[in-house]
Amino acid sequence: MSTLLVVGLGLVGLALLTVGADQAVVGASRLATLLRVAPVIVGVVVIGLGTSAPEFVVSGTAAVRDNAGLALGNLVGSNILNVTLVLGVVAVVSPVMVRSSVPVREAPLMAAAVAVFGAFALVGLKFVAGLLLAVLSVGALVLLVRLSRVQDGDPLPDDVAAFVSPNRRRWWVEALRTVLGLAATLGGAQLLVANSVTLAHRWGVSDQVIGFTLVAFGTSLPELMTSVQAQRRGEGDLMVGNLLGSNIFNSLIGGAVVGLAAGGNTIAPFGFAAVTAMVFAAILAWLLLWRGSRITRPEACVLLAAYVCVLPLLISANP
């Protein structure tokens, strides 16, 4: 198979992944709204889980195919991208103001989840670690629901309602949209992983590097699209909450998927530089939100500079 065809199939997979995840998020959010799930739960849990679906599927697929470097690299790279490149790009275009207390309360939980996942990634993920991360995932979901309680006047429920914009179609239409979106996500992940690994081998690049650059960028596109849409409508609370929630789910649920998919094998330890950069990025985003519940343009430039500085170190540290 020619390199051009491999690239083309990888791009097809990326397109399927992006469009499928977007439709899955829309369908699941509208379905939850039609089923009278509280808007803030839709914003904190449903949308966050939906935009993280590509990371779960791609990393799980890679782990089953014995591409451990790509599996962990995708999760690590996505966690870095979400709170540096994605948040930085959006905030450079328009400063992000967080008026709801929910995203600010999510930030320390996000940093803790990333740190726990980072610790497991450093020593090597095993089946037992996957089980533990699965248990922590359930605990995190319960805690997120409790943290999502809002007071009167909190803008987050209105932001979610405006973003979801539920129509009058029947519930089965949105259920079908969700199922088809997830199917496209799964098919796109298969194409993206298989062809990314082929390119990595042909170009002499490690699976880890492909994972936290090309594949991580591709699986982070749903977060980027959702963030741009939310910020364009002035829904900064939803945008920040989505990115923080995605990192929580990437770390705990994504890590659990990789550990469990590995079965009796042990996923080799990931690079120290990459894990350190991931934890640093999470703490930086937390501190910026704790400092003023906003991301200004100068702070956005700091986040972008952090990504630009970290990327060469990651590539050189993982030949």
Side-chain angles (χ1 to χ4, degrees), residues 76-295:
V76 171
S78 294
N79 281 346
I80 296 173
L81 272 163
N82 285 343
V83 293
T84 55
L85 187 63
V86 176
L87 184 57
V89 165
V90 174
V92 161
V93 175
S94 176
V96 175
M97 300 299 297
V98 180
R99 297 165 294 163
S100 171
S101 61
V102 175
V104 177
R105 295 200 299 265
E106 278 184 71
L109 178 60
M110 181 272 296
V114 168
V116 170
F117 168 64
F120 281 120
L122 280 177
V123 299
L125 272 173
K126 301 180 180 179
F127 184 81
V128 174
L131 285 177
L132 180 56
L133 287 172
V135 172
L136 291 176
S137 300
V138 174
L141 285 171
V142 172
L143 187 55
L144 281 172
V145 171
R146 298 190 64 178
L147 290 176
S148 64
R149 295 174 182 172
V150 297
Q151 299 178 348
D152 293 338
D154 193 294
L156 188 57
D158 291 337
D159 284 358
V160 173
F163 182 84
V164 174
S165 300
N167 53 30
R168 296 183 179 180
R169 295 178 181 177
R170 297 178 181 178
W171 66 268
W172 62 266
V173 175
E174 300 307 333
L176 181 61
R177 183 200 302 272
T178 304
V179 171
L180 292 177
L182 290 174
T185 301
L186 180 59
Q190 295 282 354
L191 281 173
L192 181 61
V193 170
N195 290 282
S196 295
V197 171
T198 300
L199 284 178
H201 293 165
R202 289 188 182 182
W203 292 344
V205 180
S206 72
D207 290 347
Q208 290 187 7
V209 172
I210 289 292
F212 60 63
T213 53
L214 176 64
V215 177
F217 180 78
T219 56
S220 292
L221 283 178
E223 283 92 343
L224 178 60
M225 293 171 60
T226 302
S227 298
V228 170
Q229 292 179 45
Q231 182 66 357
R232 187 179 61 188
R233 299 180 185 183
E235 298 156 359
D237 303 276
L238 177 61
M239 187 271 289
V240 173
N242 171 51
L243 293 177
L244 297 179
S246 292
N247 272 21
I248 294 171
F249 299 137
N250 288 347
S251 300
L252 299 181
I253 300 180
V257 167
V258 171
L260 295 175
N265 299 323
T266 299
I267 301 294
F270 204 74
F272 179 79
V275 172
T276 302
M278 177 182 67
V279 175
F280 168 78
I283 293 175
L284 177 61
W286 172 24
L287 291 177
L288 289 177
L289 288 169
W290 174 75
R291 177 175 171 270
S293 296
R294 67 185 186 279
I295 303 293

Side-chain angles (χ1 to χ4, degrees), residues 30 37 40 51 62 71 152 199 219 311:
R30 288 179 176 176
V37 176
V40 71
T51 55
D152 293 338
L199 284 178
T219 56
L311 192 57

